[in-house]
Amino acid sequence: MKSIVRKLRNRLCVYSGEDYAIIRECDVKIQFKFSLIGLFVLAILICCFLSAMYFTEHLFHNELLDVGVGLVWGYIVTNLYVLLLYTITPVIIPTRKLIYSPKKQELDFNVSLILRLMLIVLLAIITAQPLNIYLLAPNSLAFAHDMKMLLSSNPLAWLLTLFVTSIFLIPIYLKYIIRKNSNFYEKKAYIEKRIVEEEYIKLRINYKQTLEHNISNYNRNTWNVLEPLLQQLKKHVDELLITESL
């Protein structure tokens, strides 16, 4: 039973959007938080799939097409969400203007972060509306009109929208908790810096070997071309010297 739970936790960690090779180096509590993030990502995938499938049903009335559109839309939105979630992390690569500080744990609220949060909320609201229709007005024939009416007259529609939005936002909060109460990002910064340095050393060695090989080939080819000319020049100079001596 424990092995099954461990495998499930590890699989959910993969869905969290962070590098699992780094996650498994952390303690169990951190792994559990990342598995929760992965669980919410799966929930987002399911919500997007159901939302798109139900919306498409009102357009085409074709089960195969409904499932196909639901899968594609769910895959696109989930991958976009994971990408946005991955970017909401502290800066771990040092630059000339910014040296990463492990002690800096607060979220850096800037225009970029606010825009990403707004995009996530927008995706959540869009995803929630077909679910509102499905749960609160299943016999709807005027999809857009009923969606608007539900939001203006039914508090449950707002509660469901807030619930779906919370599913999109809770992983961000969990990442903030992780960055505040653990050394995950410090460890990630150390590992990624080590990888960059090791790859840079390998690149220098390979570049040095390649450059030396190319220079050697160039010198050899140049000598092969110049040697006959030099022999002719030497012969001509010798003839001139003999002529002058006479």
Side-chain angles (χ1 to χ4, degrees), residues 6-39:
R6 189 182 302 110
K7 289 180 180 179
L8 179 61
R9 183 192 64 198
N10 295 342
R11 177 55 58 181
L12 290 175
C13 287
V14 173
Y15 298 150
S16 67
E18 290 289 352
D19 192 342
Y20 177 67
I22 302 176
I23 295 176
R24 66 184 179 185
E25 298 294 330
C26 300
D27 57 55
V28 177
K29 291 183 179 180
I30 301 303
Q31 294 183 29
F32 177 73
K33 287 185 174 66
F34 276 111
S35 66
L36 279 181
I37 293 175
L39 184 62

Side-chain angles (χ1 to χ4, degrees), residues 174-236:
L174 289 175
K175 291 196 74 172
Y176 171 74
I177 295 298
I178 291 172
R179 70 188 290 186
K180 184 177 181 180
N181 299 329
S182 73
N183 63 342
F184 172 78
Y185 289 103
E186 290 82 351
K187 186 174 294 186
K188 180 179 179 180
Y190 170 76
I191 292 175
E192 292 191 355
K193 181 181 178 182
R194 186 190 65 195
I195 292 174
V196 170
E197 290 176 345
E198 290 176 352
E199 292 300 320
Y200 176 69
I201 292 173
K202 291 179 182 178
L203 175 64
R204 288 186 59 184
I205 294 174
N206 293 334
Y207 183 79
K208 179 176 179 292
Q209 293 174 348
T210 302
L211 184 62
E212 290 177 349
H213 177 72
N214 291 338
I215 291 175
S216 176
N217 287 338
Y218 176 79
N219 291 337
R220 184 170 57 254
N221 293 333
T222 302
W223 173 252
N224 292 335
V225 172
L226 291 178
E227 186 178 16
L229 299 176
L230 292 174
Q231 292 295 335
Q232 293 180 11
L233 180 61
K234 182 177 182 300
K235 182 179 179 181
H236 183 67

Side-chain angles (χ1 to χ4, degrees), residues 31 36 46 48 66 92 94 97 130 136 151 166 168 171 205 207-208 213 215 219 223 244:
Q31 294 183 29
L36 279 181
I46 294 172
C48 292
D66 297 341
I92 60 176
K97 295 183 178 180
L136 303 177
L151 290 175
S166 67
F168 278 72
I205 294 174
Y207 183 79
K208 179 176 179 292
H213 177 72
I215 291 175
N219 291 337
W223 173 252
E244 290 179 357

Side-chain angles (χ1 to χ4, degrees), residues 22-204:
I22 302 176
I23 295 176
R24 66 184 179 185
E25 298 294 330
C26 300
D27 57 55
V28 177
K29 291 183 179 180
I30 301 303
Q31 294 183 29
F32 177 73
K33 287 185 174 66
F34 276 111
S35 66
L36 279 181
I37 293 175
L39 184 62
F40 277 101
V41 170
L42 280 180
I44 290 170
L45 174 61
I46 294 172
C47 288
C48 292
F49 168 73
L50 294 176
S51 176
M53 186 177 68
Y54 186 68
F55 177 76
T56 310
E57 169 62 24
H58 280 71
L59 296 178
F60 304 109
H61 305 287
N62 185 307
E63 293 183 358
L64 183 61
L65 188 59
D66 297 341
V67 173
V69 172
L71 289 174
V72 172
W73 177 251
Y75 179 80
I76 292 174
V77 173
T78 304
N79 276 275
L80 177 59
Y81 175 79
V82 171
L83 176 62
L84 292 171
L85 187 63
Y86 183 79
T87 62
I88 304 177
T89 57
V91 178
I92 60 176
I93 299 298
T95 63
R96 291 183 178 180
K97 295 183 178 180
L98 177 63
I99 302 299
Y100 175 70
S101 174
K103 296 181 180 179
K104 185 179 180 181
Q105 300 292 350
E106 298 298 327
L107 279 175
D108 183 17
F109 278 98
N110 50 41
V111 176
S112 175
L113 178 60
I114 293 174
L115 289 176
R116 280 174 282 170
L117 291 175
M118 290 175 61
L119 179 57
I120 289 174
V121 172
L122 179 62
L123 289 174
I125 293 174
I126 293 173
T127 301
Q129 302 319 304
L131 298 178
N132 280 338
I133 298 295
Y134 176 73
L135 295 174
L136 303 177
N139 298 321
S140 171
L141 298 177
F143 200 90
H145 178 266
D146 290 344
M147 189 184 301
K148 181 179 178 181
M149 291 300 297
L150 282 174
L151 290 175
S152 61
S153 61
N154 194 334
L156 290 178
W158 280 105
L159 288 177
L160 182 58
T161 301
L162 291 175
F163 175 73
V164 175
T165 304
S166 67
I167 293 177
F168 278 72
L169 293 179
I170 286 176
I172 299 174
Y173 174 75
L174 289 175
K175 291 196 74 172
Y176 171 74
I177 295 298
I178 291 172
R179 70 188 290 186
K180 184 177 181 180
N181 299 329
S182 73
N183 63 342
F184 172 78
Y185 289 103
E186 290 82 351
K187 186 174 294 186
K188 180 179 179 180
Y190 170 76
I191 292 175
E192 292 191 355
K193 181 181 178 182
R194 186 190 65 195
I195 292 174
V196 170
E197 290 176 345
E198 290 176 352
E199 292 300 320
Y200 176 69
I201 292 173
K202 291 179 182 178
L203 175 64
R204 288 186 59 184

